[in-house]
């Protein structure tokens, strides 16, 4: 009702919603206005991914799916942030081919594009995100344990030393205490640091050489886009829209912009991570290709232009 009162006061031409809860409340307010007024508000909703896999039990997921299907009937344009997300929501019976438009995310990436490669005296591997079950940090820690206990190549080509990796968890959340306990159980507490939320993300990426993602489900992960903009090598599970960022080749094949591993494949993840740890040339190559890719596809100016086109076509 609070949102509806704002709608009554402002009488907008378009209501554009994001995320599940705001998308439900905002669109219900717009639908109520359209049912009670001659003037009709155009409704736009963006799917950044979906909460219909991995977040809730089957009953709740089924309920949310029904709600999304009903709301999509009243939504004029549905925006998917990647081709994978578009396919996912169509498969679930949400929206239609005609309603769904792809508009990739856009960010102010200049601060990351200027980050230089680190002189590697200590190899730093990081994971960035909320400490919640869907992010599957335990797989990251299991991989750290296996990597640390495997024999390392004593030296890289040309006699360069092969530094032992250190692991950094950036972010906070409900599972922090559990994960800190799990690190103790694994016996790798000296090699893993919990840094909490970082206000200065430029500094965070400057101090990393490899950025990992082990999520069970994702939309379009911002941490991977930022990591690639920073020229960092990435390794990630093949979930949600991750392949739209890294590429479609599954390890042991290597995509042009990173290493993509089957979801839940710990052995493959460790093997891919070990490859990145031991090959600085590969890390640099993936970082260069990744930076150019996100510079073109995920910049904020392109996003503004695309959204302006969607709005103008909708109101025409």
């Amino acid at each position: 009702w609070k949102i509806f009162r704002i709608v009554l006061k402002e009488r907008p031409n378009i209501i554009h919603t994001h995320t599940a809860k705001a998308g439900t409340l905002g669109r219900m307010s717009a639908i109520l206005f359209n049912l009670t007024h001659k003037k009709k508000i155009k409704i736009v909703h963006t799917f950044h991914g979906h909460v219909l896999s991995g977040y809730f039990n089957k009953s709740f997921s089924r309920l949310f799916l029904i709600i999304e299907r009903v709301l999509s009937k009243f939504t004029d344009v549905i925006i998917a942030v990647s081709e994978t997300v578009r396919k996912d929501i169509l498969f679930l019976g949400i929206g239609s081919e005609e309603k769904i438009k792809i508009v990739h995310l856009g960010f102010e990436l200049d601060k990351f594009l200027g980050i230089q490669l680190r002189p590697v005296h200590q190899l730093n591997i990081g994971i960035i995100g909320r400490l919640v079950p869907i992010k599957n940090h335990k797989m990251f820690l299991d991989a750290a344990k296996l990597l640390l206990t495997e024999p390392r190549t004593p030296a890289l080509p040309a006699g360069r030393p092969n530094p032992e990796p250190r692991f950094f968890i950036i972010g906070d959340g409900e599972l922090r205490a559990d994960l800190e306990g799990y690190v103790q159980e694994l016996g790798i507490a000296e090699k893993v640091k919990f840094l909490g939320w970082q206000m200065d993300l430029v500094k965070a990426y400057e101090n990393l050489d490899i950025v990992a993602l082990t999520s069970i489900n994702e939309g379009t992960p911002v941490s991977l886009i930022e990591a690639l903009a920073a020229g960092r090598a990435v390794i990630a599970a093949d979930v949600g829209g991750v392949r739209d960022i890294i590429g479609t080749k599954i390890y042991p094949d290597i995509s042009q912009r990173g290493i993509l591993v089957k979801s839940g494949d710990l052995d493959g993840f460790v093997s891919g991570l070990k490859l990145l740890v031991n090959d600085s040339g590969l890390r640099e190559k993936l970082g260069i290709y990744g930076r150019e890719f996100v510079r073109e596809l995920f910049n904020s100016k392109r996003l503004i232009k695309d959204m302006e086109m969607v709005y103008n076509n909708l109101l025409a």
Side-chain angles (χ1 to χ4, degrees):
W1 286 108
K2 288 179 180 178
I3 296 172
F4 183 61
R5 284 200 294 269
I6 295 172
V7 174
L8 287 175
K9 179 183 176 183
E10 301 294 339
R11 295 176 177 266
N13 299 101
I14 296 172
I15 286 180
H16 186 167
T17 60
H18 299 256
T19 75
K21 183 178 179 181
T24 300
L25 297 176
R27 283 183 287 175
M28 285 174 62
S29 302
I31 292 165
L32 181 58
F33 182 92
N34 286 345
L35 291 173
T36 55
H37 293 75
K38 185 175 180 180
K39 175 186 174 177
K40 304 302 179 187
I41 296 172
K42 297 294 185 181
I43 303 173
V44 181
H45 179 67
T46 295
F47 277 92
H48 294 265
H50 56 75
V51 296
L52 303 173
S53 175
Y55 284 86
F56 304 105
N57 62 41
K58 289 184 178 180
S59 297
F60 275 111
S61 295
R62 180 66 181 171
L63 174 62
F64 294 147
L65 177 57
I66 292 170
I67 291 171
E68 288 292 351
R69 284 174 176 170
V70 172
L71 288 173
S72 71
K73 303 291 184 184
F74 297 91
T75 305
D76 296 287
V77 174
I78 296 172
I79 292 176
V81 296
S82 71
E83 176 62 22
T84 300
V85 172
R86 186 190 75 86
K87 289 178 179 177
D88 283 348
I89 59 180
L90 280 174
F91 176 77
L92 292 169
I94 298 170
S96 63
E97 293 274 4
E98 298 74 26
K99 278 189 178 183
I100 300 175
K101 312 293 182 187
I102 296 176
V103 178
H104 295 284
L105 298 175
F107 304 94
E108 297 286 352
L109 294 176
D110 289 351
K111 59 185 178 182
F112 301 114
L113 294 170
I115 294 175
Q116 302 299 311
L117 288 177
R118 277 178 6 100
V120 181
H121 305 298
Q122 174 184 302
L123 195 77
N124 295 337
I125 303 169
I127 185 169
I128 300 173
R130 296 171 296 130
L131 306 190
V132 293
I134 200 74
K135 298 297 183 180
N136 199 17
H137 283 81
K138 282 193 173 182
M139 178 174 166
F140 176 74
L141 295 174
D142 288 338
K145 169 70 173 180
L146 291 171
L147 196 67
L148 289 167
T149 53
E150 281 190 2
R152 290 188 303 120
T153 306
L156 295 171
R160 288 175 293 159
N162 185 12
E164 187 177 31
R166 296 293 187 273
F167 297 84
F168 297 85
I169 296 179
I170 299 169
D172 217 327
E174 63 193 66
L175 292 184
R176 178 160 181 167
D178 290 342
L179 292 172
E180 287 175 335
Y182 193 59
V183 166
Q184 295 290 340
E185 289 178 28
L186 293 175
I188 56 173
E190 292 185 0
K191 311 292 186 182
V192 180
K193 287 188 178 181
F194 289 79
L195 301 182
W197 292 118
Q198 300 293 300
M199 295 299 293
D200 188 353
L201 282 174
V202 171
K203 185 177 179 180
Y205 287 109
E206 280 178 339
N207 290 328
L208 296 176
D209 302 290
I210 300 168
V211 175
L213 184 142
T214 52
S215 299
I216 298 168
N217 186 21
E218 281 284 351
T220 301
V222 176
S223 64
L224 291 189
I225 296 170
E226 292 173 342
L228 291 179
R232 273 28 186 180
V234 300
I235 179 169
D238 182 20
V239 294
V242 170
R243 59 172 45 207
D244 296 309
I245 300 173
I246 292 181
T248 58
K249 293 181 179 178
I250 301 292
Y251 185 79
D253 292 328
I254 300 174
S255 289
Q256 198 174 33
R257 300 179 294 276
I259 293 180
L260 191 67
V261 181
K262 288 181 181 179
S263 178
D265 180 7
L266 178 59
D267 290 339
F269 193 87
V270 173
S271 181
L273 196 54
K274 186 177 180 182
L275 178 63
L276 289 177
V277 167
N278 291 329
D279 194 336
S280 60
L282 176 62
R283 295 198 304 270
E284 183 175 356
K285 178 182 175 182
L286 294 176
I288 290 170
Y289 279 118
R291 174 172 277 176
E292 290 307 309
F293 176 76
V294 299
R295 187 203 304 268
E296 293 297 320
L297 192 61
F298 293 104
N299 69 79
S300 57
K301 291 180 180 178
R302 193 233 77 244
L303 172 64
I304 293 168
K305 181 180 178 181
D306 288 353
M307 285 312 311
E308 184 179 26
M309 187 178 299
V310 169
Y311 291 157
N312 285 336
N313 289 340
L314 186 57
L315 295 175

